[in-house]
Amino acid sequence: EVQLVESGGGLVKPGGSLRLSCAASGFAFSDCHMNWFRLAPGKGLEWVSSISAGSNDIRYAHSVKGRFTVSRDNGKNSMYLQINSLKDDDTAMYYCAREAPGWARDYWGRGTLVTVSS
Amino acid sequence: QSALTQPPSASGSPGQSVTISCTGTSSDIGGYDYVSWYQLHPGKAPKLLISEVSKRPSGVPDRFSGSKSGNTASLTVSGLQAEDEADYYCCSHAGSNYLYFGGGTKLTVL
């Protein structure tokens, strides 16, 4: 069974940092492109970042570029999102998802909540 | 403001059909057959319902169907059931801008 489990969220002050993790199981993680998304209160889903299977193709949404860094460890079946210089607008549930053919994302985790507040 | 436009709400009675629209531009929906739809229940992992405009992944009931005409994609839920009450999001590939989502539609089963 494919499983994705996010962790690392929490309450952080503006300007602070967090490192989110996504633990994958039930599939060949090292063969799959992976993504981060977020859902902010009262807003729609937003793509945040993607990383290719071999980490050679990495992309970010304009809203997070320069502040967020995605990485992965295929030996640990895990993906990470380092988020720095946090702003109020970054408050959201953060999800990891597996990329599927046709630009869809076929498996998602339940998310980890990041709250930015002073 | 989301790049793709969805109605904020939709509703129907059990057994009825409901269609949710998703409007974009020729740079996203109109330019690619890469529209997907996701169902979000509170506290659960988002679920892929439709990929590539109209493809249904294994395990998704055939009550869910997708289509596209020009710059507008649609998700139809037939034979509404109580468990269909959720938020629905459309998504489209947008070339170098990567991925755009709609603002989400809250479906209420009356």
Side-chain angles (χ1 to χ4, degrees), chain B residues 2-92:
Chain B
S2 301
L4 306 180
T5 301
Q6 294 181 237
S9 63
S11 63
S13 300
Q16 287 186 332
S17 293
V18 169
T19 296
I20 299 171
S21 63
C22 173
T23 302
T25 69
S26 57
S27 296
D28 37 69
I29 292 177
Y32 306 92
D33 284 336
Y34 293 136
V35 177
S36 49
W37 289 89
Y38 301 89
Q39 179 189 59
L40 271 70
H41 279 115
K44 290 189 174 183
K47 179 182 180 180
L48 174 65
L49 294 176
I50 298 288
S51 67
E52 297 180 74
V53 177
S54 59
K55 294 182 179 179
R56 210 172 31 251
S58 172
V60 174
D62 59 7
R63 302 185 295 103
F64 294 91
S65 62
S67 63
K68 187 185 91 165
S69 178
N71 297 337
T72 298
S74 299
L75 173 73
T76 298
V77 186
S78 306
L80 269 176
Q81 299 182 3
E83 60 261 36
D84 298 333
E85 186 160 296
D87 293 331
Y88 293 82
Y89 286 86
C90 62
C91 177
S92 176

Side-chain angles (χ1 to χ4, degrees), chain A residues 5-29:
Chain A
V5 180
E6 303 92 339
S7 62
L11 175 63
V12 61
K13 289 182 169 51
S17 298
L18 277 177
R19 189 192 194 210
L20 308 184
S21 298
C22 171
S25 61
F27 67 99
F29 179 77

Side-chain angles (χ1 to χ4, degrees), chain A residues 45 47 50 103 105 108-110, chain B residues 34 38 43 45 89 93 98 101:
Chain A
L45 270 172
W47 168 74
S50 68
W103 291 89
R105 274 68 180 161
W108 298 62
R110 289 181 179 237
Chain B
Y34 293 136
Y38 301 89
Y89 286 86
H93 178 51
Y98 217 58
F101 282 92

